[in-house]
Amino acid sequence: MSVNSIDVEARQSGGHVLWHAGFLKIILAHFLVGVSIYMFLPVAPLMTGGADGVEAGGALAAVLWFCVGMCVPAPFCNYWLDAYRRKGVALWALAGMACSVLFAGAGFSGWAGGLVRLLQGASYGVFQIAVGSTLLLDLSDTRKRTEAAHVYYWFQRLALVVGLLVGRVVAVLYGRSEFLWIAAGLLLAALLLVGSLRVPFRAPLQPALFTLDRFFLPRGFRLFVPLLLSSAVAGLLLGQVHALTGFLGLCIGLWLALSLHLRLFGERLELELSVGFLLLLGASLLFLSPLSGHAVACVSSLCLGCGLGCIASRYLLSFIRICEHCERGTAQTSYLLGWDVGILSGYSFSSLMWTAGERICTYVLLGLCLSVAVFHFVFVRKWYVRHRRK
């Protein structure tokens, strides 16, 4: 079968329509996996042996292990996905995440708990490369791939909000066992969805065993830095969203960002990023203000969700536009790495920063927000205009 046969098969199954059955299964599986991963953030020490899920040290250790795990197997993914069946690689990654949840239920602590978290991060990283950077492209028409990527990662942003809410509610109201059962159930549902995909066969190739293909796009490093810092600021603020009104504000903010991206900004790159940076700065000021109440919590979370949505949408499109045709999957994984590492590290540092005092919070948050904006407009804007593909 030729290299282009996958595109032919995708056209036969979905034509030029984006929302065909295979695409829907991928999106839903991705959403379920995202919820199962992000719901561990509020209770991260569960993965390293903590009792109540709120110790700052346990949260930092859990996130560190997870992020290392995301990077360790990634350079081998290109070899696995070309030498073996791609759906099989995704299924093995889901099985690895399910095993990490089961091991968490066994109550491992210390180094053993860290290795469990490492397994979870490694499996999650392989799944995202196999599905989001490979199967998603295989099962999408060539002319719909940018749109497919936007839909895919917008569902991930929604999964972040749902996962944080579910993690807090389930851990508080039901306890550890029920929490782990729900996480495992989500992964099992995702495994069934991916297992039911009809993926065209592709003859095995002989790629290099170790490569950055499908993992990281060095040319996109200038985009990676501000995306990572913006996500870290958002993670710091997400750690302070506890009430239902706050999560409602996040959802409204994401919906507003999507509407603005589709109906207003279009090709206005700098305008969308400027609005995103300003909203992130406004959210920081509101979270630091002495004002309290449901209205303030909702408005601050709305600014956070809308600002994060604007910034993330634009950087995803920027990554896609600086890559060559064969580098699209690598660009999308680079974007995912900046998003996840930023959100996870920011959220894990949140508990430490907010206990250090209001003045420290003010300096750190405002300094990060301004640094991201300055870095983009000084070091990224002109470079991007010169290097983007028309």
Side-chain angles (χ1 to χ4, degrees):
M1 181 173 284
S2 66
V3 173
N4 294 326
S5 61
I6 291 179
D7 283 341
V8 173
E9 185 78 15
R11 293 191 192 100
Q12 291 174 350
S13 62
H16 301 316
V17 178
L18 178 64
W19 296 92
H20 56 82
F23 179 75
L24 287 171
K25 291 177 182 178
I26 286 178
I27 293 300
L28 184 55
H30 166 65
F31 175 77
L32 294 174
V33 169
V35 173
S36 71
I37 292 297
Y38 293 130
M39 64 188 289
F40 277 95
L41 276 175
V43 289
L46 281 172
M47 298 296 293
T48 51
D52 56 9
V54 297
E55 298 94 338
L60 287 172
V63 167
L64 176 62
W65 281 105
F66 186 91
C67 292
V68 171
M70 284 182 62
C71 298
V72 168
F76 302 97
C77 284
N78 186 61
Y79 172 80
W80 294 335
L81 291 167
D82 279 337
Y84 304 102
R85 293 183 181 272
R86 296 175 172 187
K87 186 174 79 170
V89 175
L91 291 174
W92 276 108
L94 282 168
M97 281 187 277
C99 289
S100 69
V101 173
L102 295 177
F103 291 148
F108 291 114
S109 60
W111 282 97
L115 292 177
V116 171
R117 189 67 166 164
L118 183 74
L119 171 63
Q120 187 186 35
S123 303
Y124 173 72
V126 173
F127 173 82
Q128 289 291 1
I129 295 176
V131 175
S133 300
T134 306
L135 291 180
L136 178 70
L137 302 180
D138 291 347
L139 297 178
S140 301
D141 185 85
T142 305
R143 283 162 287 189
K144 293 287 185 178
R145 285 177 175 173
T146 298
E147 185 180 350
H150 273 289
V151 173
Y152 185 86
Y153 291 109
W154 267 107
F155 269 87
Q156 184 178 33
R157 292 158 205 156
L158 180 61
L160 171 65
V161 179
V162 175
L164 292 176
L165 178 59
V166 170
R168 288 190 178 278
V169 171
V170 173
V172 171
L173 297 182
Y174 299 101
R176 174 179 176 138
S177 298
E178 289 76 8
F179 173 88
L180 294 173
W181 276 112
I182 290 176
L186 292 171
L187 293 173
L188 177 60
L191 191 146
L192 294 175
L193 286 169
V194 174
S196 65
L197 283 173
R198 181 170 171 267
V199 181
F201 172 74
R202 184 173 184 173
L205 304 177
Q206 293 182 341
L209 178 62
F210 187 93
T211 177
L212 291 181
D213 289 349
R214 289 198 177 95
F215 171 42
F216 189 76
L217 188 67
R219 188 166 60 257
F221 183 75
R222 292 199 191 196
L223 297 172
F224 180 84
V225 172
L227 172 63
L228 176 68
L229 294 177
S230 302
S231 301
V233 172
L236 288 168
L237 297 175
L238 283 170
Q240 300 308 303
V241 178
H242 306 293
L244 184 60
T245 51
F247 288 103
L248 177 62
L250 286 172
C251 291
I252 296 174
L254 289 174
W255 172 81
L256 182 59
L258 177 58
S259 299
L260 292 173
H261 181 79
L262 294 175
R263 294 180 173 86
L264 177 63
F265 294 127
E267 295 298 321
R268 299 179 179 91
L269 165 70
E270 305 306 329
L271 178 60
E272 185 169 12
L273 282 174
S274 299
V275 170
F277 291 141
L278 286 174
L279 286 171
L280 208 58
L281 181 62
S284 301
L285 292 174
L286 284 172
F287 274 103
L288 292 167
S289 71
L291 301 176
S292 61
H294 294 300
V296 175
C298 188
V299 171
S300 58
S301 298
L302 188 150
C303 291
L304 172 59
C306 188
L308 180 60
C310 290
I311 293 171
S313 301
R314 186 52 63 177
Y315 276 119
L316 172 61
L317 185 58
S318 299
F319 266 107
I320 292 174
R321 286 187 171 176
I322 65 165
C323 70
E324 300 298 331
H325 177 74
C326 59
E327 296 175 329
R328 180 181 285 265
T330 308
Q332 291 178 196
T333 307
S334 301
Y335 162 83
L336 173 78
L337 188 65
W339 162 271
D340 270 328
V341 172
I343 290 291
L344 295 172
S345 58
Y347 195 96
S348 65
F349 274 100
S350 177
S351 56
L352 285 180
M353 192 190 76
W354 290 91
T355 56
E358 183 177 341
R359 180 173 296 182
I360 297 295
C361 297
T362 303
Y363 290 154
V364 171
L365 280 173
L366 299 185
L368 278 175
C369 289
L370 293 175
S371 298
V372 174
V374 170
F375 184 91
H376 173 83
F377 290 109
V378 174
F379 297 103
V380 178
R381 185 176 66 88
K382 292 183 179 179
W383 171 88
Y384 171 73
V385 172
R386 290 196 307 268
H387 291 83
R388 68 179 177 181
R389 295 190 296 116
K390 303 297 182 183

